[in-house]
Every structure is written in structure tokens, then in C-alpha cells.
């Protein structure tokens, strides 16, 4: 006895009392379908146990419905949050995501990952890469499909498109906040300078100080981890403590807080502190951390919107996502540091 065939889209349409085209629109999250019709189609899909035949659709449309995403194996907040946002935005559009996680984003690893995706027949690729070598690799790769790079703000016109958070603006917002509170000696604990984020945050801090006519010291070399923040904090408390510190990310700020607390230096009474990222838990640091929030959901949606337009052959320009300052208790005016008056 022959096995029963799997349910087809026509079966779903018949059960739901709609057209084949309506079922297709529901499967592709088309906005023109009425909610009650969508619910009826979804119920028919569930009842029949219908599964979309990806191979058949690929033959008809010559598209796989798959997007390749290259990311590092790092647990750093920014790249991880960006990947989650991109993956979520892809699912909203009914696309599958094929992921290549590489330990280091070098020219060689990025090139091999892109070649792997091209052999899979992906419709496009997203590369989460803020390091110079990775960006150079993407630009030198002759991809037959559109590629979106998350990190650089500007790339020459071509098949590679750029989406970025405005780290320069974020750094200016953080520094402007400290200046507005009345601080005049504002240090910056920098991120790695082979990362776009690290360089742009230094540049924003430096330009904001310069435009305010304030001294611009050399940035303090850093990394992205709390251990480096702690080491720098110990050096600062043993020397000439600045009025305020703008840390290139929240992990560095956490390390600074640890060193300051350990040495009995009070934040913000003796030194104000600003971070960058608004990581989960930064509102519960002691004190809660003033920081710059990256809008990762907007970043993910922008990546997929740009990729979708490029796949459709529409003109695509670079997109920049603005961050926002989140003010909490780790910053205060210098006047609050004045010692209490001694009773007569």
C-alpha cells in the first residue's frame, strides 16, 4: 500500500477556504492578509501538519530563502546582541539563517566562511565585523549575492553594504553629559583600536572635549574586559584621579567600579563614571551605571531591510543607527563632592 503523500499548500488552501496565493502570503508574513484569514490559514496548517517544501520553492523562485551570517565566537555583548537581533529580524521575514562562527575574524576565516555560504546558495550574507581585517576580507571577496557588513559607516558603492551604530555620536553624548554636569578633567578608557567601535569612541570623546575648550589628554589604552578596567582603576586611585571617566564599554566600567570601591573612592561623589552598551545588569551596578544604549533591534531590522532591498535589485545606501544616553546614579555634578561643612 502506497504511503500517503504529505499535505500540500493546495490542501491548506482548500481546508481554510482561501486561495493558494493567500496561503503563500501568510507563509511569507505579507501584511495585506486580514487577521481572521491569517488565523484560519494557520489553523489549517496546524491541523494538516503542513511543512513548506523548501527545495521545491528554491527550484521555482531560484532563491533559497536562506541568509548566511558570519560572526565571531566571542561572548562580547555587542557582537552577540547584534547576531540575536539579525537572526530575529530574519525570522520575522520568514527567512532561514545559516551561521558561520569563527574564532577570529581574519581575512582568511571570513573568506572561507563566505565561500561556504556561496556553495550553499544563500540569497545574501550578513557579516558582523568591526575589525579592520574582517572588513578588508569582505570588500575583497567577489560575492555573487549582496553582502551587508555590520560595523563600518561608509563603504564604496558595490555589492557590499554597510549598517552601523553611530559610536562617534554615542561617545559625544557620554562626554557632553559629563561636561554638562560641570566636569573638566574627563579621562577615557579606550577599547581596542583595531575595532571601529574603539576608534570612533575615542574620536567622539576627543572632539567633544576639544569643542568645549577642555584639555584633551591621551586616551588610556584598554580592551573590552573588566579585568583591564580594574587594573586601570588601581592606577588611577594611586595617582591623580580625574573628575570623571568615560569607559569604552560597560565591562571596563565594571572593572573601574571594582577598583574604586576597593580603594574607598566613591562614585559619583569623588569621580563620575559613564560606560557604553547598556548591558543586562548595568542598571544594578553599585551605583547604577550611566551608559550609552545601542539599539540592537533596530540594527537587526536595518540589516535585513537593506539585504532584502539589495536582493530585489533596489538601490541601497548605508544606514546608521543612533544610540541613546541612559542617565543613572554613577554620574553627578562636582558640587556634590564638596565636603560637608563642619559645625561651629
Amino acid at each position: 500500500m502506497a504511503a500517503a503523500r504529505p499535505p500540500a499548500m493546495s490542501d491548506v488552501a482548500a481546508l481554510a477556504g482561501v486561495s493558494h496565493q493567500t496561503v503563500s502570503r501568510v507563509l511569507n508574513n505579507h501584511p495585506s492578509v486580514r487577521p481572521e484569514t491569517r488565523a484560519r490559514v494557520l489553523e489549517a496548517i496546524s491541523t494538516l501538519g503542513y511543512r513548506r517544501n523548501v527545495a521545491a520553492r528554491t527550484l521555482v523562485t531560484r532563491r533559497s530563502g536562506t541568509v548566511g551570517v558570519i560572526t565571531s565566537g566571542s561572548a562580547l555583548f555587542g557582537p552577540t546582541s547584534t547576531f540575536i537581533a539579525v537572526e530575529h529580524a530574519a525570522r520575522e521575514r520568514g527567512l532561514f539563517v545559516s551561521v558561520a562562527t569563527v574564532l577570529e575574524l581574519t581575512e582568511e576565516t571570513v573568506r572561507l566562511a563566505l565561500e561556504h555560504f556561496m556553495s550553499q546558495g544563500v540569497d545574501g550574507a550578513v557579516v558582523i565585523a568591526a575589525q579592520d581585517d574582517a572588513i578588508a576580507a569582505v570588500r575583497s571577496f567577489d560575492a555573487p549575492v549582496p553582502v551587508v557588513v555590520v560595523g563600518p559607516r561608509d563603504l564604496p558603492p558595490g555589492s557590499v553594504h554597510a549598517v552601523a551604530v553611530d559610536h562617534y555620536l554615542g561617545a559625544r553624548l557620554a562626554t557632553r553629559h559629563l561636561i554638562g554636569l560641570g566636569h573638566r578633567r574627563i579621562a577615557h578608557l579606550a577599547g581596542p583600536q583595531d575595532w571601529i567601535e574603539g576608534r570612533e569612541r575615542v574620536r567622539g570623546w576627543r572632539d567633544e572635549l576639544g569643542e568645549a575648550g577642555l584639555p584633551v589628554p591621551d586616551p588610556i589604552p584598554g580592551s573590552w574586559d573588566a579585568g583591564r578596567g580594574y587594573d586601570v582603576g588601581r592606577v588611577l586611585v594611586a595617582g591623580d584621579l580625574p573628575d570623571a571617566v568615560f569607559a569604552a564599554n560597560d565591562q571596563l566600567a565594571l572593572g573601574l567600579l571594582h577598583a574604586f570601591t576597593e580603594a574607598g573612592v566613591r562614585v559619583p561623589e569623588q569621580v563620575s563614571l559613564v560606560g557604553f552598551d547598556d548591558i543586562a545588569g548595568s542598571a544594578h551596578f553599585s551605583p547604577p551605571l550611566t551608559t550609552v544604549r545601542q539599539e540592537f533591534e533596530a540594527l537587526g531590522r536595518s540589516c535585513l531591510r537593506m539585504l532584502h532591498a539589495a536582493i530585489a535589485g533596489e538601490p541601497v545606501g548605508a544606514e546608521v543607527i543612533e544610540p541613546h544616553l541612559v542617565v543613572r546614579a554613577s554620574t553627578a555634578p562636582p558640587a556634590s563632592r564638596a565636603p560637608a561643612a563642619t559645625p561651629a
Side-chain angles (χ1 to χ4, degrees):
M1 184 176 179
R5 67 171 178 80
M9 192 182 294
S10 57
D11 299 320
V12 175
L15 181 59
V18 298
S19 68
H20 183 283
Q21 186 180 38
T22 298
V23 176
S24 178
R25 285 175 174 168
V26 170
L27 290 170
N28 289 290
N29 295 315
H30 198 283
S32 67
V33 182
R34 290 182 298 179
E36 58 271 23
T37 303
R38 185 182 303 276
R40 200 161 68 247
V41 170
L42 291 175
E43 183 179 356
I45 288 172
S46 177
T47 299
L48 294 172
Y50 171 75
R51 294 292 181 271
R52 181 183 295 193
N53 189 328
V54 176
R57 186 182 66 168
T58 299
L59 288 173
V60 173
T61 65
R62 297 189 178 182
R63 292 183 182 173
S64 64
T66 302
V67 174
V69 179
I70 300 176
T71 186
S72 71
S74 165
L76 290 171
F77 179 76
T80 300
S81 299
T82 300
F83 167 70
I84 292 170
V86 167
E87 197 273 339
H88 183 257
R91 282 192 288 109
E92 284 183 337
R93 288 182 174 268
L95 298 172
F96 299 97
V97 172
S98 179
V99 184
T101 302
V102 297
L103 293 178
E104 291 185 57
L105 288 169
T106 65
E107 288 200 40
E108 179 68 8
T109 59
V110 171
R111 181 183 62 79
L112 289 174
L114 285 170
E115 287 178 351
H116 169 69
F117 284 145
M118 299 309 112
S119 69
Q120 286 187 330
V122 298
D123 296 332
V126 176
V127 183
I128 302 170
Q131 295 101 313
D132 296 333
D133 285 350
I135 294 167
V138 177
R139 291 188 59 191
S140 66
F141 188 85
D142 187 17
V145 298
V147 177
V148 172
V149 184
V150 183
R153 291 185 55 172
D154 298 298
L155 289 176
S159 62
V160 178
H161 313 284
V163 179
V165 171
D166 195 339
H167 301 281
Y168 174 78
L169 172 63
R172 295 201 68 153
L173 292 174
T175 310
R176 190 177 305 158
H177 170 66
L178 293 170
I179 294 171
L181 290 173
H183 301 302
R184 294 297 174 262
R185 297 192 309 127
I186 302 171
H188 177 50
L189 175 51
Q193 294 303 285
D194 62 337
W195 286 62
I196 293 173
E197 289 98 323
R199 293 197 300 271
E200 287 295 283
R201 293 172 195 179
V202 167
R203 192 168 70 89
W205 161 80
R206 181 180 287 136
D207 286 356
E208 193 67 27
L209 287 179
E211 286 190 16
L214 296 177
V216 184
D218 290 333
I220 304 168
S223 61
W224 294 127
D225 66 273
R228 175 59 181 164
Y230 175 75
D231 291 340
V232 169
R234 293 186 65 183
V235 172
L236 291 177
V237 298
D240 187 15
L241 194 67
D243 296 344
V245 181
F246 164 42
N249 77 345
D250 291 350
Q251 289 293 333
L252 288 169
L254 179 61
L256 287 166
L257 275 174
H258 181 190
F260 292 160
T261 301
E262 189 175 76
V265 173
R266 292 169 298 159
V267 176
E269 290 83 1
Q270 291 174 268
V271 58
S272 280
L273 180 61
V274 179
F276 203 114
D277 281 341
D278 195 24
I279 63 173
S282 60
H284 303 285
F285 285 8
S286 183
L289 183 67
T290 295
T291 186
V292 178
R293 175 183 297 156
Q294 301 193 58
E295 304 296 342
F296 289 109
E297 285 299 316
L299 184 66
R301 288 193 297 271
S302 180
C303 283
L304 267 295
R305 184 170 57 251
M306 178 178 289
L307 197 60
H308 186 267
I311 291 170
E314 299 171 4
V316 176
E319 293 193 22
V320 179
I321 309 299
E322 290 192 2
H324 298 90
L325 183 71
V326 180
V327 179
R328 299 192 180 108
S330 67
T331 53
S336 66
R337 300 176 195 164
T342 302

